[in-house]
Amino acid sequence: ETGVTQTPRHLVMGMTNKKSLKCEQHLGHNAMYWYKQSAKKPLELMFVYSLEERVENNSVPSRFSPECPNSSHLFLHLHTLQPEDSALYLCASSQGVGNSYGYTFGSGTRLTVV
Amino acid sequence: QKEVEQDPGPLSVPEGAIVSLNCTYSNSAFQYFMWYRQYSRKGPELLMYTYSSGNKEDGRFTAQVDKSSKYISLFIRDSQPSDSATYLCAMRAMNSGYSTLTFGKGTMLLVSP
């Protein structure tokens, strides 16, 4: 496996469910990110991890809880979500947070909250 | 005013046309500029990056940055149906510690055969 892999690709969950999104990168990068992509809106940065330490949290509701157990893995734990949380959730990685060459993205998890 | 403005389209062109995609921005500290291409049901992939002002060419793609006007462009020559995708501009400031990328909304491009 190469690049950034996200699972599952699609997820439908009820508002009372608890689920987790998984991201794995095989690039040797030391920074990882969660982004939310909604229709007609720019990518919204949710969380940034550098060397497994969270360095930025863009005022994300507590129903989203990230976890970075090591530099290759990133999780997003979800609970009591709202329908407006339905979106494409993208994971990305880079070598260094301020990397001028941009990020490598996974294919995303399409989340639908019912 | 939003930090990065990008027309969402869709932009429809016939095969072989020259395509011009644009973004404007308000933060004069931005120094690194990127274009990402995102196919349907895929994540964005880095297409081109430039530092500061000037042009950069890669095959059929040319990226231009005009910092005085706070305006960046991506030109696609001899467009192909396989170029149909959403194109996102992204930018960041220089030496800004933990500063991350700021994205535009993306422009959907449709190239018809």
Side-chain angles (χ1 to χ4, degrees):
Chain A
E1 285 258 26
T2 59
V4 179
T5 304
Q6 289 187 246
T7 54
R9 291 297 305 275
H10 301 274
L11 178 63
V12 179
M13 59 186 288
M15 289 191 285
T16 59
N17 291 158
K18 288 185 179 180
K19 296 286 184 183
S20 295
L21 310 184
K22 179 183 176 182
C23 176
E24 185 174 0
Q25 60 97 359
H26 308 271
L27 300 165
H29 289 166
N30 58 14
M32 297 187 78
Y33 313 79
W34 280 115
Y35 277 90
K36 176 183 179 182
Q37 187 174 36
S38 305
K40 306 295 185 186
K41 294 177 71 174
L43 286 173
E44 299 175 54
L45 178 64
M46 301 177 72
F47 300 103
V48 181
Y49 276 84
S50 175
L51 298 171
E52 303 148 44
E53 180 181 335
R54 189 160 74 189
V55 298
E56 191 163 328
N57 170 0
N58 273 5
S59 301
V60 179
S62 59
R63 57 186 184 269
F64 296 91
S65 175
E67 178 189 1
C68 187
N70 54 62
S71 60
S72 298
H73 294 85
L74 185 65
F75 295 89
L76 187 63
H77 304 300
L78 316 171
H79 65 96
T80 59
L81 294 191
Q82 304 298 310
E84 60 264 29
D85 297 323
S86 299
L88 181 67
Y89 288 84
L90 291 163
C91 173
S93 70
S94 68
Q95 186 55 33
V97 177
N99 184 287
S100 59
Y101 297 104
Y103 308 155
T104 302
F105 284 89
S107 293
T109 294
R110 174 69 61 184
L111 173 67
T112 303
V113 181
V114 297
Chain B
Q1 182 184 11
K2 293 184 173 62
E3 272 202 295
V4 179
E5 300 272 9
Q6 184 176 13
D7 187 334
L11 176 63
S12 296
V13 300
E15 183 175 355
I18 296 174
V19 175
S20 172
L21 304 167
N22 311 294
C23 287
T24 58
Y25 63 94
S26 58
N27 187 348
S28 58
F30 287 143
Q31 294 277 354
Y32 294 96
F33 304 92
M34 290 146 229
W35 286 95
Y36 284 81
R37 178 175 61 195
Q38 185 174 19
Y39 290 115
S40 179
R41 292 185 289 277
K42 294 284 190 180
E45 58 175 332
L46 183 62
L47 192 60
M48 295 192 72
Y49 70 89
T50 51
Y51 167 68
S52 194
S53 288
N55 294 359
K56 184 171 184 177
E57 189 173 321
D58 183 2
R60 296 184 295 110
F61 298 89
T62 299
Q64 283 187 355
V65 175
D66 181 348
K67 290 192 68 190
S68 61
S69 301
K70 297 190 178 67
Y71 186 89
I72 68 171
S73 301
L74 178 70
F75 296 96
I76 307 174
R77 292 183 299 280
D78 187 25
S79 56
Q80 302 294 310
S82 58
D83 295 327
S84 297
T86 297
Y87 291 80
L88 301 98
C89 62
M91 47 199 79
R92 67 173 285 269
M94 181 179 179
N95 295 332
S96 49
Y98 286 124
S99 176
T100 54
L101 294 180
T102 300
F103 286 85
K105 292 181 181 180
T107 299
M108 181 183 290
L109 172 66
L110 302 170
V111 182
S112 54

